[in-house]
Amino acid sequence: MTLHNLTVSYRATQEILESVHGLLARIAPDQKPTRSLRSGESPRTVTAPQGGLATAVMAELRAQSAAHPGELLGVVCADARAAELTARGAADHARIVPASEARGLEFDGVVVVHPEEIAAARPGGERDVYVALTRATKRLCTITAQPA
Protein backbone atom coordinates (compact mmCIF):
# COMPACT_ATOMS: atom_id res chain seq x y z
CA MET A 1 0.00 0.00 0.00
CA THR A 2 1.25 3.46 -0.89
CA LEU A 3 0.47 6.38 1.40
CA HIS A 4 0.14 9.90 0.06
CA ASN A 5 0.18 13.11 2.07
CA LEU A 6 -2.45 15.69 1.27
CA THR A 7 -1.03 18.79 -0.38
CA VAL A 8 -4.23 20.83 -0.68
CA SER A 9 -6.52 21.91 2.13
CA TYR A 10 -10.18 22.33 1.31
CA ARG A 11 -11.11 23.38 4.87
CA ALA A 12 -8.78 25.92 6.44
CA THR A 13 -7.85 29.20 4.78
CA GLN A 14 -4.34 29.97 3.60
CA GLU A 15 -4.04 32.53 6.41
CA ILE A 16 -4.85 29.88 9.03
CA LEU A 17 -2.43 27.37 7.51
CA GLU A 18 0.35 29.98 7.52
CA SER A 19 -0.32 30.72 11.18
CA VAL A 20 0.19 27.06 12.19
CA HIS A 21 3.23 26.42 10.00
CA GLY A 22 5.67 26.53 12.95
CA LEU A 23 3.54 24.13 14.99
CA LEU A 24 3.31 21.71 12.06
CA ALA A 25 7.10 21.83 11.67
CA ARG A 26 7.48 20.82 15.36
CA ILE A 27 4.94 17.99 15.42
CA ALA A 28 5.55 16.59 11.93
CA PRO A 29 8.95 17.83 10.70
CA ASP A 30 8.89 15.65 7.57
CA GLN A 31 5.48 16.84 6.41
CA LYS A 32 5.35 19.60 3.84
CA PRO A 33 2.83 22.35 4.60
CA THR A 34 -0.37 22.14 2.60
CA ARG A 35 -1.74 24.98 0.54
CA SER A 36 -5.33 26.11 0.69
CA LEU A 37 -7.89 26.81 -1.96
CA ARG A 38 -9.51 29.32 0.43
CA SER A 39 -8.47 32.75 1.52
CA GLY A 40 -9.95 34.68 4.41
CA GLU A 41 -9.43 36.73 7.51
CA SER A 42 -6.15 36.58 9.41
CA PRO A 43 -6.45 34.56 12.61
CA ARG A 44 -6.82 36.65 15.78
CA THR A 45 -5.55 36.12 19.30
CA VAL A 46 -7.26 37.45 22.42
CA THR A 47 -5.46 37.37 25.76
CA ALA A 48 -7.59 37.00 28.89
CA PRO A 49 -6.80 36.92 32.60
CA GLN A 50 -6.24 33.41 33.99
CA GLY A 51 -9.68 33.37 35.63
CA GLY A 52 -11.38 35.15 32.75
CA LEU A 53 -11.15 32.66 29.90
CA ALA A 54 -14.86 31.76 29.95
CA THR A 55 -15.83 35.44 29.98
CA ALA A 56 -13.58 36.09 26.98
CA VAL A 57 -15.05 33.09 25.14
CA MET A 58 -18.59 34.35 25.74
CA ALA A 59 -17.69 37.85 24.50
CA GLU A 60 -16.10 36.42 21.36
CA LEU A 61 -19.07 34.15 20.65
CA ARG A 62 -21.55 36.99 21.08
CA ALA A 63 -19.52 39.17 18.72
CA GLN A 64 -19.18 36.46 16.08
CA SER A 65 -22.87 35.50 16.35
CA ALA A 66 -23.91 39.12 15.85
CA ALA A 67 -21.48 39.75 12.98
CA HIS A 68 -22.17 36.47 11.17
CA PRO A 69 -25.72 35.31 11.96
CA GLY A 70 -26.54 31.78 10.90
CA GLU A 71 -22.94 30.61 10.65
CA LEU A 72 -21.78 27.50 12.46
CA LEU A 73 -19.43 28.28 15.35
CA GLY A 74 -17.26 25.84 17.28
CA VAL A 75 -15.33 26.20 20.51
CA VAL A 76 -12.43 23.78 20.89
CA CYS A 77 -10.98 23.47 24.38
CA ALA A 78 -9.20 21.07 26.68
CA ASP A 79 -11.52 18.21 27.53
CA ALA A 80 -11.62 19.25 31.20
CA ARG A 81 -12.79 22.80 30.30
CA ALA A 82 -15.82 21.79 28.18
CA ALA A 83 -18.23 21.47 31.12
CA GLU A 84 -17.32 24.93 32.45
CA LEU A 85 -17.93 26.57 29.07
CA THR A 86 -21.22 24.74 28.66
CA ALA A 87 -22.32 25.85 32.14
CA ARG A 88 -21.45 29.46 31.24
CA GLY A 89 -23.79 29.32 28.21
CA ALA A 90 -21.30 28.92 25.39
CA ALA A 91 -23.35 26.04 23.95
CA ASP A 92 -26.14 28.55 23.26
CA HIS A 93 -23.89 30.12 20.61
CA ALA A 94 -21.57 27.34 19.43
CA ARG A 95 -20.83 23.66 19.55
CA ILE A 96 -18.45 22.93 22.42
CA VAL A 97 -15.86 20.36 21.33
CA PRO A 98 -13.27 18.75 23.58
CA ALA A 99 -9.95 18.87 21.72
CA SER A 100 -9.63 15.09 21.76
CA GLU A 101 -12.84 14.90 19.68
CA ALA A 102 -12.19 17.70 17.15
CA ARG A 103 -10.58 15.66 14.38
CA GLY A 104 -12.67 15.64 11.20
CA LEU A 105 -15.00 18.49 12.22
CA GLU A 106 -15.31 21.87 10.57
CA PHE A 107 -17.00 25.15 11.44
CA ASP A 108 -17.32 28.55 9.80
CA GLY A 109 -15.74 30.16 12.86
CA VAL A 110 -13.66 28.52 15.56
CA VAL A 111 -12.61 29.76 18.97
CA VAL A 112 -9.70 27.78 20.41
CA VAL A 113 -9.44 28.18 24.17
CA HIS A 114 -6.05 28.17 25.91
CA PRO A 115 -3.90 26.10 23.49
CA GLU A 116 -1.28 25.56 26.21
CA GLU A 117 -3.90 23.78 28.32
CA ILE A 118 -4.88 21.60 25.34
CA ALA A 119 -1.22 20.72 24.70
CA ALA A 120 -0.64 19.77 28.35
CA ALA A 121 -3.82 17.70 28.70
CA ARG A 122 -2.47 14.47 27.24
CA PRO A 123 0.52 12.97 25.43
CA GLY A 124 0.62 14.27 21.88
CA GLY A 125 -1.36 17.31 22.94
CA GLU A 126 0.40 19.57 20.44
CA ARG A 127 -1.24 17.49 17.71
CA ASP A 128 -4.61 18.22 19.33
CA VAL A 129 -3.73 21.93 19.21
CA TYR A 130 -2.91 21.67 15.49
CA VAL A 131 -6.21 19.93 14.81
CA ALA A 132 -8.10 22.54 16.85
CA LEU A 133 -6.47 25.42 14.99
CA THR A 134 -7.34 23.97 11.58
CA ARG A 135 -11.11 23.37 12.04
CA ALA A 136 -12.24 26.78 10.73
CA THR A 137 -13.33 27.41 7.15
CA LYS A 138 -13.53 31.21 7.57
CA ARG A 139 -12.42 32.63 10.95
CA LEU A 140 -10.12 31.55 13.76
CA CYS A 141 -9.81 33.22 17.15
CA THR A 142 -7.46 31.85 19.78
CA ILE A 143 -8.01 32.84 23.38
CA THR A 144 -4.90 32.57 25.50
CA ALA A 145 -4.37 33.09 29.23
CA GLN A 146 -2.18 35.84 30.59
CA PRO A 147 0.87 34.45 32.36
CA ALA A 148 0.30 34.07 36.10
Side-chain angles (χ1 to χ4, degrees), residues 46-60:
V46 173
T47 302
Q50 287 282 340
L53 288 169
T55 300
V57 169
M58 292 305 299
E60 181 62 28

Side-chain angles (χ1 to χ4, degrees), residues 18-147:
E18 288 171 3
S19 75
V20 298
H21 179 74
L23 176 58
L24 178 63
R26 273 198 321 274
I27 63 174
D30 296 332
Q31 184 159 339
K32 290 185 179 183
T34 57
R35 63 181 175 83
S36 179
L37 297 180
R38 297 176 188 246
S39 184
E41 298 175 24
S42 293
R44 294 181 306 107
T45 300
V46 173
T47 302
Q50 287 282 340
L53 288 169
T55 300
V57 169
M58 292 305 299
E60 181 62 28
L61 291 176
R62 286 186 188 105
Q64 283 203 33
S65 293
H68 308 284
E71 289 194 350
L72 184 60
L73 301 177
V75 174
V76 184
C77 59
D79 295 24
R81 189 172 291 277
E84 172 197 1
L85 294 174
T86 299
R88 291 289 299 269
D92 294 341
H93 301 276
R95 179 157 175 218
I96 309 304
V97 182
S100 67
E101 299 175 20
R103 191 172 307 277
L105 300 178
E106 68 179 54
F107 303 94
D108 296 313
V110 172
V111 177
V112 176
V113 183
H114 202 348
E116 296 82 5
E117 185 177 62
I118 294 170
R122 65 187 195 142
E126 279 194 317
R127 290 179 181 274
D128 289 342
V129 173
Y130 181 83
V131 169
L133 294 170
T134 57
R135 299 303 90 196
T137 62
K138 296 180 181 178
R139 280 174 310 287
L140 172 64
C141 177
T142 303
I143 299 181
T144 61
Q146 290 175 342

